[in-house]
Amino acid sequence: HESYKWEYRYFTGTKQNYYDPENSEFSNAISMQNLNSYTYDETIESWFGSIHYEYGNRYYLDANIRGDGSSRFAKENRWGVFWSVGANWRLSQENFLKDVAWINNLALKVSYGTTGNNQIPNYYPYKDQYSVSPNGDEVSVPQVYWGNPDRTWEVSNNLNAGINASLFDARLNLNAEYFHKKTSDMLYDMPFSPSTGIPSKPMNIMTMINKGFEFTLSAVPLRTKNTSLEVILTGTTYTNSVTDLPADKVETGITHLAYYNIKDGGSVWDFYGLKSAGVDPETGDALYWHRETGENGEETLSKVTYENADAVGDKFYLGTAIPDFIGGITVNFNWKGLDFSIAGNYQIGGKVYDAMYNGLMHAGTSDGANWHKDILNAWTPENTNTNVPKLNGSINQTQALDPY
């Protein structure tokens, strides 16, 4: 059994015009400026148990179950039950491999189970919430949060299958695993029309799938009485997709040019935005692709200025932030008890939005903010063959470039 309780209390008060400069108590101040307080609390009650079974140093079985009750959900939807089962088979202990000298350990493993998530950026999402705004003797009480008592745990179903191997007196070790994670009833803030006065409502409505492969490979090419050298290589590749999404959700937190646009069948890390069509050589204006669909369903592309592209919301798929492959390399060297290590990581593929470059490609400021050197290639009547538009105080130069 596990019981968790967390409480946060906040209080602030401000008064001014102290009668006695040496007395810092509130009672010595004359005018009240501000007084505010609030309390957040959270409770989680959990019951859990596990069973472990082993036979002949070859077969292993684990089973776990737990029930969690969270105060972040309404009483009728507070509890979630989660479980897992896993098995491990040590092939190296079987008769057909037991006498193979260069195999120290070889095992197959598989597990399946569920986990729950209650992490919501609100401690009381099951009830409507209001803000009290006094104005003299009058007060307004607008609703600022749309509660949902039906909201409950987000559940992930996890499948893992892999192999563990230790070979050649543990000089070569491999841990490789396939994973498939399906998360359903996701904690999702469903967007609503701004005319409602509340931008979203908390719901359980989306499903997301992450699946891929990861491995850790270590080798010890050097091992003596006083010296050892170990090289560790890790790698992961995976895909992400969203299903059961009733409406698109657009996150505009990067810039007005770049978006995470979550679409059914796409990834939560897909970039969408205006797509550059270069610079008009005659005017120096930044151009963008605009698409239109004819009566026969055929799509045509044309070049328009930024104002026209932004007005019609021409957002194109620009790539994904998910890399094709990520991993790391670590080298450990030991000599007579002294340890030396160096570690690095790598990434192949995946888009990155260059916000620093975007900030340096502006049209000039009164305080003399720095420019990127590419600004020297901006359009002028003498320099018309360029991808940097003319300097224009109302537009950012990277609107004509690819910041990914």
Side-chain angles (χ1 to χ4, degrees), residues 357 360-361 371-378:
Y357 183 72
L360 292 173
M361 292 296 289
W371 266 324
H372 191 279
K373 66 178 182 179
D374 287 352
I375 210 73
L376 298 174
N377 196 33

Side-chain angles (χ1 to χ4, degrees), residues 82-345:
F82 313 103
W83 57 272
S84 67
V85 292
N88 188 300
W89 177 24
R90 293 188 65 194
L91 284 80
S92 55
Q93 295 299 307
E94 298 289 353
N95 292 331
F96 57 86
L97 288 178
K98 198 170 185 178
D99 296 328
V100 180
W102 55 274
I103 298 179
N104 304 112
N105 182 62
L106 181 62
L108 299 178
K109 58 183 180 179
V110 63
S111 65
Y112 185 84
T114 63
T115 55
N117 176 33
N118 71 331
Q119 294 304 299
I120 310 168
N122 192 301
Y123 290 96
Y124 316 103
Y126 51 87
K127 61 182 181 180
D128 296 339
Q129 297 168 31
Y130 301 86
S131 174
V132 179
S133 302
N135 183 15
D137 294 333
E138 299 181 349
V139 64
S140 62
V141 189
Q143 185 175 349
V144 296
Y145 191 85
W146 194 348
N148 182 7
D150 296 328
R151 203 177 202 191
T152 187
W153 288 86
E154 175 183 294
V155 180
S156 294
N157 295 269
N158 307 276
L159 170 67
N160 296 75
I163 182 173
N164 284 337
S166 180
L167 312 174
F168 306 109
D169 195 22
R171 283 178 174 260
L172 185 64
N173 301 279
L174 173 67
N175 182 13
E177 192 168 284
Y178 168 81
F179 60 88
H180 186 286
K181 179 180 180 181
K182 181 180 180 180
T183 304
S184 55
D185 292 332
M186 293 186 65
L187 301 173
Y188 181 90
D189 288 333
M190 180 68 180
F192 279 82
S193 171
S195 62
T196 64
I198 301 175
S200 62
K201 181 179 181 179
M203 302 179 73
N204 295 88
I205 55 175
M206 192 167 61
T207 300
M208 183 172 64
I209 297 175
N210 288 291
K211 58 182 178 180
F213 173 80
E214 60 185 359
F215 72 89
T216 300
L217 178 65
S218 65
V220 184
L222 176 63
R223 181 192 292 161
T224 65
K225 180 180 179 180
N226 295 319
T227 307
S228 66
L229 175 66
E230 181 185 31
V231 180
I232 304 173
L233 179 67
T234 63
T236 302
T237 180
Y238 74 100
T239 59
N240 170 270
S241 60
V242 175
T243 61
D244 302 330
L245 183 64
D248 291 349
K249 178 185 178 185
V250 178
E251 299 285 1
T252 58
I254 303 178
T255 71
H256 62 291
L257 293 177
Y259 298 80
Y260 286 126
N261 195 1
I262 304 177
K263 293 187 175 182
D264 202 339
S267 166
V268 295
W269 301 111
D270 289 344
F271 284 115
Y272 286 82
L274 302 180
K275 190 173 183 179
S276 171
V279 175
D280 189 329
E282 296 183 0
T283 65
D285 291 333
L287 298 177
Y288 299 88
W289 290 110
H290 168 61
R291 55 191 163 199
E292 293 182 349
T293 303
E295 296 180 357
N296 57 0
E298 293 185 359
E299 187 178 89
T300 59
L301 295 176
S302 60
K303 297 180 180 181
V304 298
T305 61
Y306 166 74
E307 290 79 7
N308 292 328
D310 191 53
V312 297
D314 277 322
K315 301 299 186 292
F316 290 80
Y317 174 73
L318 302 176
T320 178
I322 297 178
D324 299 324
F325 200 83
I326 56 176
I329 301 175
T330 302
V331 178
N332 298 317
F333 180 74
N334 179 278
W335 178 73
K336 292 186 177 181
L338 296 177
D339 293 320
F340 304 89
S341 298
I342 183 170
N345 48 54

Side-chain angles (χ1 to χ4, degrees), residues 10-18 24-37:
Y10 175 87
F11 174 85
T12 180
T14 304
K15 295 183 74 174
Q16 292 182 342
N17 300 327
Y18 281 77
S24 61
E25 299 296 336
F26 277 135
S27 59
N28 182 48
I30 299 173
S31 58
M32 171 71 71
Q33 300 299 311
N34 177 56
L35 184 65
N36 188 28
S37 67

